[in-house]
Amino acid sequence: MVLSRKIALINLTKESVRVSSIPLDLRRTFLGGRGINMYLLSKVYSKTLDPLSPQNPLIFGAGLLTGTLGFGSRINITAKSPESGYLGDSNMGGDFGAELVQAGFSHLVVTGKSQKPVYLLIRDNEIEFRDARSLMGLDTVETQRRIREELGDEKIKVASIGQAGENLVRFASIHTGMKNAAGRTGMGAVMGSKNLKAVAVRGTLGITISDPKHYLRYYLSEKKKLMETKWVQALGKYGTPILFQYSNTMGFLSVRNNQWTTIGDQGYALEAEALEPYTTGMLSCFGCPAHCRHRYSITEGRYKGARGEGPEYASLGSLGTKLGNLDLEHIIYAVDLCNRYGLDTISTGSYIAWAMELYQRGFLDQEQTGVPLHWGEGEAILELLHHIAHRKGFGKILSEGSFAKKQLGKGSEAYLLDIKNFPIEMTDERLSKSFALGMATSTRGACHMRSRPSLDVLGLPEEVLKKIYGGPVSNQLSSYAGKGRMVWWHELFNAVTDSLGFCRFLTIFSSPHAPSYRQFARLIKLATGLNLSVKELKTAGERIYTLERMMLIREGLSRKEDTLPKRYFDEPVPEGPAQGEVILREAFDQMLEENYRLHGWNKNGVPKKGTLRRLGLDNED
Amino acid sequence: MRIKVDANKCSGCHLCEMVCSLSHLGIIHPERSAIRIQKDDLQTSLNTPWLCKQCKIMKCLDGEKDVPARERKKFIWSTQRAERCPFNGLNVFGEQAYHCDLCLGNPQCVKVCTSGALTLST
Ligand code: SF4
Ligand code: SF4
């Protein structure tokens, strides 16, 4: 039974483990995954908690339904972020989460710091500390291979850091498989700071199901509907690169650090179809019927021999157009390099793009950077990737991420496009007002995935949108009307899906016909016996999101930090399909206030007393 | 009836393992499913589903008196039979082996597989 899965409190300093069960009440209020992670983190989160100190807990949390038949089987990794200095949280696919649940655990809370490099081995209710000295210096893929070899079990699933995490690069990620990453907010650096190289799991306990017959029947019928949506069909065929084409045609893309927002016809070179010749098949995360990731191999040319998975749209943009780099094979190779070093492709691309714009504008020269940082300079990009992962030369400065602002100074900070100390991504949101707002309010700093309000791109009738969002929402991408509501709705919804272990792509995201609260409630009931109404699920979403907000409030953040890079307000998109688009401050403020009001937060973005009370977060007051 | 496997198409989703154990035992337990996926998640070459091939001449029953037609319809088998299978087609977990009974004519794994890796052939 999923409900009997446990929390393990693991102290690396003392090499001790304490296991506790998860009270049903906690399940009802925070569900699991991201929700329970936030609950656990909030107990120790403070302004003075140093993200790289032993006190910062690194929390792994499988979703409530991870490992069962649902709409994904994901896991969240949460801690205070060394990259932004604020809330850190990242969601990872692959098979690791499901394996953890099969091994008897939903959550791991890792604190302390091991004296020597260590990895955790978790097998059917048992947790063991193992020497990881021989694994140090290995990349993420090699680490996984070696652990399997050492233990003689091919079925072991491993989440590990690469060299970047070991070297405390602030935007280091945690990986499982070839490319599944808890990429954002530097969770790999937190892991590295604890001298924890990997977590290996193998579970064979089985998960009993409350009502197997109806559960299977219900799942099959919902899965059938999902597979009939155009979105999932396209996703299964092309993967996320299909979004690249959309972004480019709309003028929604980051080009050369958001100085432009499209590459026009040159985009063909990076579209999903251009990837086809390299593709050897599609791969799924555990329990996913959509199979969105490409497996590829490059069989000739400079990068001959490269094999892997991806690249995702986010990486195509971040290591491609954002850097003025349109060489697809180079991007594939660079993405793989990041995955192996354990570097977040989005942040890595963003910091390099920042450096390139500084180079363009004469803030930096080759003497400082060691390599010529011209846009699209492939060799230089690879060189920098090596240097960042090993904290060498100019890479040492960039490995500090947004904290490098201090070192570079002299007005350079204006060219790092970040929100709450966290860089924006492969997109440019001046066209899409809902996305722009979502980036500004996201609880982990600039992030399109926290809300991902993408239903207004489909041109659906406004009646349909009204039904979904419970109030009027414009179906025009560039309209501000109702977007505060739209973002609010998705913020709660995604907090719920992340807590259930579901994938954005298999729930309401780009299809109004994809599963939503009603289907979630039914699946939870049939799988676990737990009765949770749609209303209770929505309230759980509110609770989780507002608790995240309260952690930011503890940092002293509020409305003034819910903003966008200056470029979005002051520089209209210079050309292309989104030409002239800019964010109007007044209209932005109105969206923001609408969003706060629906959350039950005051005009300054601080949750009201009544809201905290209603959500059972009184002690946050 | 037989289940045809096209390993090239398998995405490694493990859904077949989940529904196989769930529909027979009421539990999600890939270890106790008649079909197993060797997911090649680090090489990214092939994932390999494997299960009973429904041989006409059943080597697995050598030396037993049971009626093959009846045994075909059973899901839980002995580990000795798994040892006798020349194709390593059975999944062993603990004291038992798990044998594909074709869901008595309505294979659930084929139903759940969206990649086209599993199809029915008669
Ligand atoms: S046909 Fe039925 S018994 Fe055979 S492997 Fe598929 S689900 Fe299992
Ligand atoms: S359901 Fe199909 S694609 Fe998924 S693991 Fe089984 S055989 Fe492979």
Side-chain angles (χ1 to χ4, degrees):
Chain A
M1 188 63 109
V2 230
L3 297 181
S4 63
R5 281 356 192 205
K6 305 253 178 332
I7 301 180
L9 304 165
I10 300 163
N11 186 316
L12 294 173
T13 311
K14 300 186 194 144
E15 290 213 347
S16 68
V17 177
R18 220 178 72 222
V19 174
S20 75
S21 55
I22 301 178
L24 203 56
D25 201 44
L26 186 57
R27 281 285 187 204
R28 298 191 69 92
T29 45
F30 286 94
L31 309 173
R34 175 174 150 193
I36 291 188
N37 278 11
M38 289 302 164
Y39 168 84
L40 295 166
L41 180 65
S42 72
K43 299 282 164 218
V44 294
Y45 192 97
S46 74
K47 190 175 164 70
T48 53
L49 177 65
D50 173 358
L52 295 176
S53 71
Q55 286 74 32
N56 190 20
L58 181 68
I59 310 174
F60 294 74
L64 172 60
L65 292 184
T66 292
T68 65
L69 292 169
F71 308 111
S73 256
R74 303 178 68 91
I75 184 164
N76 267 66
I77 305 180
T78 309
K80 186 163 178 179
S81 163
E83 183 174 4
S84 66
Y86 305 129
L87 186 63
D89 180 42
S90 199
N91 179 274
M92 180 169 84
D95 292 40
F96 181 82
E99 199 70 33
L100 184 65
V101 175
Q102 283 284 357
F105 297 97
S106 283
H107 295 262
L108 311 172
V109 183
V110 186
T111 53
K113 177 178 181 177
S114 175
Q115 265 172 1
K116 54 180 194 329
V118 74
Y119 79 90
L120 295 171
L121 174 61
I122 303 181
R123 279 191 287 210
D124 292 353
N125 295 322
E126 301 284 335
I127 298 180
E128 205 184 304
F129 297 81
R130 292 181 69 99
D131 192 341
R133 274 175 298 188
S134 66
L135 302 174
M136 296 312 269
L138 297 181
D139 70 30
T140 58
V141 176
E142 212 33 52
T143 304
Q144 298 176 60
R145 276 206 193 110
R146 285 280 188 89
I147 291 179
R148 284 182 180 174
E149 226 172 74
E150 178 181 318
L151 300 166
D153 186 348
E154 277 300 306
K155 291 202 163 142
I156 285 188
K157 303 292 176 197
V158 181
S160 94
I161 54 171
Q163 296 90 334
E166 287 178 32
N167 296 329
L168 308 187
V169 175
R170 285 187 185 268
F171 41 97
S173 40
I174 301 174
H175 288 245
T176 184
M178 293 296 289
K179 72 152 271 283
N180 310 292
R184 311 233 64 207
T185 69
M187 298 297 95
V190 177
M191 194 152 156
S193 74
K194 302 197 168 315
N195 248 332
L196 176 64
K197 178 67 176 168
V199 180
V201 290
R202 178 81 177 101
T204 68
L205 295 175
I207 302 170
T208 37
I209 293 297
S210 176
D211 182 351
K213 204 169 119 214
H214 292 107
Y215 171 64
L216 180 56
R217 198 184 296 159
Y218 185 70
Y219 172 75
L220 288 175
S221 79
E222 285 305 317
K223 190 203 74 152
K224 186 159 173 281
K225 282 188 230 158
L226 177 66
M227 295 308 292
E228 280 162 3
T229 62
K230 281 196 217 114
W231 159 247
V232 170
Q233 282 173 8
L235 188 67
K237 186 150 180 229
Y238 301 111
T240 60
I242 194 161
L243 297 169
F244 176 85
Q245 182 177 358
Y246 175 82
S247 281
N248 188 38
T249 358
M250 298 294 285
F252 197 84
L253 205 58
S254 167
V255 178
R256 301 192 176 197
N257 205 31
N258 300 60
Q259 296 182 85
W260 289 271
T261 67
T262 178
I263 50 168
D265 291 348
Q266 287 179 295
Y268 295 138
L270 303 185
E271 282 176 10
E273 270 157 26
L275 267 172
E276 283 302 305
Y278 307 101
T279 301
T280 55
M282 298 301 271
L283 205 75
S284 278
C285 294
F286 188 90
C288 170
H291 50 78
C292 76
R293 52 254 329 260
H294 289 268
R295 291 180 287 193
Y296 68 78
S297 76
I298 299 182
T299 51
E300 48 193 43
R302 268 208 69 191
Y303 305 110
K304 186 176 167 178
R307 288 158 68 119
E309 283 170 34
E312 302 288 337
Y313 154 54
S315 306
L316 277 171
S318 299
L319 294 171
T321 56
K322 191 161 193 171
L323 307 182
N325 175 22
L326 307 187
D327 177 349
L328 182 58
E329 291 194 2
H330 177 280
I331 298 173
I332 292 177
Y333 183 78
V335 169
D336 190 41
L337 203 57
C338 284
N339 285 336
R340 285 170 190 270
Y341 278 144
L343 283 171
D344 174 30
T345 53
I346 297 180
S347 280
T348 306
S350 295
Y351 297 125
I352 296 179
W354 175 36
M356 282 182 160
E357 188 166 351
L358 294 179
Y359 198 86
Q360 171 198 320
R361 295 183 186 275
F363 285 88
L364 285 174
D365 57 31
Q366 195 171 337
E367 207 162 294
Q368 288 158 286
T369 59
V371 282
L373 279 186
H374 303 298
W375 295 108
E377 187 84 39
E379 276 310 306
I381 295 171
L382 296 183
E383 190 79 3
L384 260 190
L385 292 181
H386 297 306
H387 284 175
I388 290 171
H390 293 103
R391 276 187 176 268
K392 277 207 299 233
F394 183 63
K396 188 169 176 193
I397 296 178
L398 278 195
S399 71
E400 288 293 311
S402 50
F403 287 87
K405 281 191 238 173
K406 281 196 210 109
Q407 293 172 58
L408 293 173
K410 291 187 276 185
S412 62
E413 53 285 358
Y415 299 96
L416 177 65
L417 275 58
D418 65 346
I419 301 170
K420 301 187 182 78
N421 234 356
F422 195 55
I424 62 162
E425 307 160 309
M426 66 292 176
T427 42
D428 187 290
E429 287 75 17
R430 278 171 285 188
L431 168 66
S432 166
K433 312 308 178 202
S434 54
F435 265 74
L437 178 67
M439 298 284 281
T441 54
S442 153
T443 44
R444 68 170 182 181
C447 167
H448 73 293
M449 275 303 200
R450 219 57 175 170
S451 50
R452 229 295 180 180
S454 52
L455 279 185
D456 61 354
V457 305
L458 302 175
L460 298 167
E462 291 189 344
E463 277 312 298
V464 175
L465 295 184
K466 191 170 177 186
K467 240 175 115 183
I468 295 173
Y469 297 119
V473 170
S474 163
N475 60 4
Q476 297 302 307
L477 207 53
S478 59
S479 161
Y480 298 86
K483 300 305 165 71
R485 168 179 291 276
M486 185 180 179
V487 169
W488 160 78
W489 192 94
H490 285 279
E491 284 171 338
L492 306 191
F493 186 78
N494 293 354
V496 171
T497 53
D498 285 346
S499 304
L500 298 178
F502 291 169
C503 178
R504 297 273 186 288
F505 295 152
L506 304 183
T507 52
I508 287 202
F509 175 76
S510 295
S511 171
H513 306 296
S516 184
Y517 289 114
R518 193 171 52 81
Q519 286 83 355
F520 302 167
R522 182 101 187 107
L523 267 185
I524 295 171
K525 166 77 185 150
L526 293 172
T528 68
L530 199 63
N531 256 322
L532 277 170
S533 66
V534 166
K535 187 156 177 277
E536 282 173 294
L537 283 176
K538 284 186 181 167
T539 308
E542 282 190 88
R543 185 175 295 115
I544 295 160
Y545 209 78
T546 288
L547 181 58
E548 291 176 0
R549 182 73 182 181
M550 287 311 292
M551 287 190 258
L552 298 183
I553 302 285
R554 287 184 213 171
E555 297 277 2
L557 304 188
S558 60
R559 176 168 180 157
K560 59 186 187 316
E561 284 78 22
D562 290 347
T563 187
L564 295 164
K566 258 174 78 57
R567 185 164 277 170
Y568 282 26
F569 291 117
D570 299 345
E571 296 174 30
V573 174
E575 58 183 42
Q579 188 177 15
E581 288 290 346
V582 72
I583 303 291
L584 302 173
R585 283 186 196 271
E586 207 173 302
F588 175 81
D589 283 346
Q590 277 169 13
M591 288 196 296
L592 197 59
E593 282 177 22
E594 182 187 23
N595 180 272
Y596 288 170
R597 185 175 52 76
L598 290 162
H599 274 298
W601 304 348
N602 70 17
K603 284 218 158 131
N604 201 24
V606 180
K608 293 179 184 167
K609 272 193 166 48
T611 305
L612 294 176
R613 207 173 317 120
R614 180 171 63 81
L615 299 174
L617 300 172
D618 316 52
N619 55 351
E620 286 299 323
D621 200 4
Chain B
M1 187 163 64
R2 201 169 64 81
I3 291 171
K4 241 173 66 192
V5 174
D6 183 348
N8 262 312
K9 288 190 177 154
C10 172
S11 70
C13 68
H14 297 277
L15 280 169
C16 50
E17 295 175 340
M18 289 203 265
V19 299
C20 183
S21 55
L22 181 69
S23 60
H24 288 91
L25 307 166
I27 177 169
I28 292 181
H29 206 177
E31 309 302 321
R32 290 159 73 200
S33 154
I35 183 165
R36 290 304 331 252
I37 303 303
Q38 186 61 51
K39 184 164 180 168
D40 194 1
D41 52 358
L42 292 183
Q43 296 286 342
T44 73
S45 49
L46 281 186
N47 302 310
T48 332
W50 47 271
L51 75 167
C52 167
K53 289 178 186 287
Q54 311 288 339
C55 309
K56 283 209 178 77
I57 299 165
M58 296 171 75
K59 286 248 180 271
C60 48
L61 300 185
D62 267 2
E64 294 191 16
K65 291 195 190 67
D66 305 290
V67 186
R70 207 173 318 143
E71 294 315 299
R72 275 187 203 282
K73 291 190 188 150
K74 292 186 185 157
F75 181 65
I76 296 177
W77 273 17
S78 69
T79 54
Q80 288 88 330
R81 289 183 185 172
E83 277 157 30
R84 284 186 222 119
C85 171
F87 305 106
N88 197 17
L90 298 183
N91 182 30
V92 175
F93 182 68
E95 304 297 298
Q96 282 167 334
Y98 297 88
H99 160 257
C100 171
D101 62 4
L102 290 171
C103 296
L104 307 179
N106 182 18
Q108 298 294 308
C109 56
V110 177
K111 243 189 194 163
V112 86
C113 178
T114 52
S115 69
L118 304 180
T119 45
L120 275 184
S121 79
T122 37

